Amino acid sequence: MARNFINLDVNPCKMCMPMGAAIAFKGIEKSILMMHGSQGCSTYMRRHMATHYNEPVDIASSSLTEQGTVYGGENNLKKGLRNTIQLYQPKVIGVVTTCLAETIGEDIDRLINEFVAEEEIAKDITFIPVATPGYGGTEYEGYYLSLRKMVERLAEEGSNDKVNIIAGNLTPAEIRRIKEILESFSISYNLLPDISKTLDAPYSKDYQKLPDGGTTIEEIKSMGGAKATIELGALLDEKISAGQFLEDEFRIPLYRVALPIGLANVDKFINALSKVTGAKPDPKLTEARGRMLDAMVDSHKYNAQGRAAIFGQPELVYSIATLCLENGLVPALLATGAKTSKLEELLKKDFGLAVEDTVIIDDTDFDTIRDYVNKLDVNILIGHSDGKFITERDGIPLVRVGFPIHDRVGGQRKVTIGYDGSVNFLDEITNTLLDRKYSSYREDMYDKHFTG
Amino acid sequence: MSRSAELGTLEERKDSILRNSKQEKKDLKCDQNSVAGAVSQRACVYSGARVVLNPITDAYHLVHGPIGCASYTWDLRGSLTSGAEVFRNSFSTDLREKDIVFGGEKKLTAAIDEIVEAYDPKVVFVYSTCVVGVIGDDLAAVCKAAEQKYNIRVIPVQAPGFAGNKSTGYKAAGNAILELMDTNVTPLKKKGINILGDYNLAGELWILQGYLNRVGIEVNAKFTGDSSCEEIMRAPQAELNIVQCAGSMTLLAKKMEKRYGIPFVKISFVGIDDTIASLRKIAQLLGEQKIIDNVEELIKEEQAKVKEELEFYRQRLEGYSAAIYVGGGFKAISLIKQFNSLGINPVMVGTQNGKKEEYARIRDLTDEGTIILDDANPTELEKFMKERGADILVGGVKERPLAYKLGVAFCDHNHGRKHPLTGFVGAVNFAKELDSTLNSPVWKIIAKESGGE
């Protein structure tokens, strides 16, 4: 069963769509997000992001009140946009809806068009509206949908030598790693979104409310003329795929690959790059790959003792599951709060997953995950910080990865992608298993064989 | 562009910002809705209700709405418990598109059925959220039907996010607590006191309770930190209410005074001076000589324990300047005094939900030129911290990275703190935390990098 209750969600393993939009728009140069809804939504998301990225995250709200809810939020939204422009001087404003705005039927496309026609200050600003009702999906869909809407709005027909990279919801450090890999192929690229600096800004004497960095509007425009798109997202629905839009609209060949975690997935990403550039991977990459193979051999027996529960956003769960499968670590439970049937489908198809060994649940909650963790003798948890509740109650260690990580530092600097990143991540998993073994085996053996 | 915009603030916000002047006594505009687009640090009505009620340890907190509202507030506060752990879960009806279209009452009814069947609860709080307020689910009717069906308390908390601000949520929570108290009011025996508005963050309530027990004061009920539903139901029997977090609980205290004849007093255990004053005030109100004597004894003992350590820190902290941005005015007032006692000068003081009389008091307590703000935003916080040369900001989680980016030290006075900041021991922890951040070697490196001294 995917969830313990039919009507109840107990301890959510998901967030809502606007959260995904908030992260995606942070990857656009000099952009700010306006959430059309009540004041609380923006504050909650700012708090969640602030603890994960350890960066100031400013998100505007139209601060809808009772009056706006009854008579329409037009005044609030327009006034909110004016104030936000005055305070932040952004180049881009993402305007996203919330549960409230959608339920009262706000037409943000129309309101933005009016605003642009009415206001002088709006003329140099690019507005990107996205409908993200909180009840319409999770942060996963909100993230990819926002990217698609950016491309739908801005990409232009053309012809250039660039490659589009649509990044999944990775960390700023991982985006930097992606860039290193791209640069090793000496290709010019459009990377969407680029949170590498905006959500992990170097210390500087002069603080900027909208930090440097991020994908530029020009880059998004030129995505319509690129020679290929590589989209990091193996499970996503076509309707929220920016790469799919580019293929449908501009006939740009689309390579959709999983988040490059684990040997096979990194290979697929690198192969896609080789294919679109016609170049062989840099020797450094080949060397890193060899080192990964070596490391996999070194730790395979330790990994064989692992039974993992992996939870979080579907793309991450999928790629970590493949890393486990490659290394003999049993992915006993794969769980995501989003709705998807692709996890099972793809793992069976690409990795010959024997489903009888693995429980796969979607649209689930932590109450259910915890029950399975105990039922399936899981000895390691892999996922974001909310899994700590299982650790606290059942003593099973948690390897933190994904979003949010708010009870440890460094979530924004974690790298699990690429050959190097995968090895480091695998080491962390293996060491967590070893730590558990070393801390208890003397006692265990004594109890088992001496006391009998 | 208008002048205030040049200064980095919005025209509409200018009456909510005050430069303290002893000659010109102007009132600060407060208790208003946030200005759209200003990037307020405030949350919503639902949030206000949830933070107040959630620490009730054995209640089931069911959020009727889409998943976000429950997700972002799961175990939000670091409230500790000596009993049940139920409150550390987050229950939601997880509304979807079709529920929005067809209404969520059926789902809510079924969700309550599921809770009752699985957990056998005594009390369920059902929170409404933004959409529920719009689609018109009759929360009260659903709750009432469930009460009758199961013979338990199912209490609606009317908290659509848009229907006011956080203070409105406090009020909704207060009403829910009153409703719980009214379950079966027994003949009033008038004994012991209730502690209102301490949420037992990092065990702070236990410290307070410990002091009261030591001087011979019986604690009848506490809410909501480390409380049980049964305990709250017997709250009407107390002879006095003491109110620690004035922002969230004053209104409830007033209602209890009217309904049950229990007088209340606002106290604060933030900082040594306020702790001492509060203990004395409580003892005076109870009027028993023995308690009054015991309080003096306790003050003497506790002060002796912390004196040396506090002096050590005072010497290391004297001369710094502080900025304060917290939720309520009463806490800000205590913090001003606490900073002063450590030789630190507050140069900027703001709150999310302060009241008129609290801002008047803040004006009295601070120096000429101190910036006082209501419902500030990051732009204003940045501007005034820089302008006034604050060395440290005390605030919540969202303000922390901003302070750090500006090269300003930070003290976490938030829901999630892991060490207590109240009472005598808390005053030492506070000084220690200030020292750990203000006197960290990283600032020397940062200053050098930035071309400073």
Side-chain angles (χ1 to χ4, degrees), chain A residues 320 323 382 399 401 414 416 421-429:
Chain A
I320 296 172
L323 177 76
I382 306 173
V399 175
V401 62
K414 189 150 187 151
T416 61
S422 296
V423 171
N424 285 341
F425 184 44
L426 183 64
D427 284 348
E428 192 185 346
I429 294 169

Side-chain angles (χ1 to χ4, degrees), chain A residues 11 14 43-44 46 86 392, chain B residues 5 41-42 47 71 88 90:
Chain A
N11 301 336
K14 60 180 170 182
T43 298
Y44 282 134
R46 290 175 63 201
Q86 198 177 329
E392 193 189 306
Chain B
Q41 307 289 91
R42 281 182 184 164
S47 152
S71 191
R88 298 192 57 212
S90 203

Side-chain angles (χ1 to χ4, degrees), chain A residues 3 5-9 11 14 16 39 43-44 46 51 55 61 79 83-84 86 103 201 209 363 392, chain B residues 5 12 36-37 40-42 47 71-72 74-75 88-90 92 94 96 110 114 131 379 397 405 450:
Chain A
R3 214 155 87 172
F5 298 99
I6 296 162
N7 299 287
L8 267 181
D9 182 301
N11 301 336
K14 60 180 170 182
C16 60
Q39 174 58 43
T43 298
Y44 282 134
R46 290 175 63 201
T51 54
E55 293 285 324
S61 169
K79 183 170 139 189
N83 284 340
T84 303
Q86 198 177 329
T103 308
K209 276 192 290 193
D363 197 4
E392 193 189 306
Chain B
E12 205 177 334
S40 163
Q41 307 289 91
R42 281 182 184 164
S47 152
S71 191
Y72 305 125
W74 177 15
D75 204 26
R88 298 192 57 212
N89 296 296
S90 203
S92 169
D94 188 8
R96 308 293 171 93
E114 286 176 346
V131 283
T379 307
V397 172
K405 286 286 176 195
S450 309

Side-chain angles (χ1 to χ4, degrees), chain A residues 130-145:
Chain A
V130 189
T132 52
Y135 49 76
T138 70
E139 78 282 10
Y140 169 68
E141 290 88 359
Y143 176 86
Y144 280 104
L145 177 66

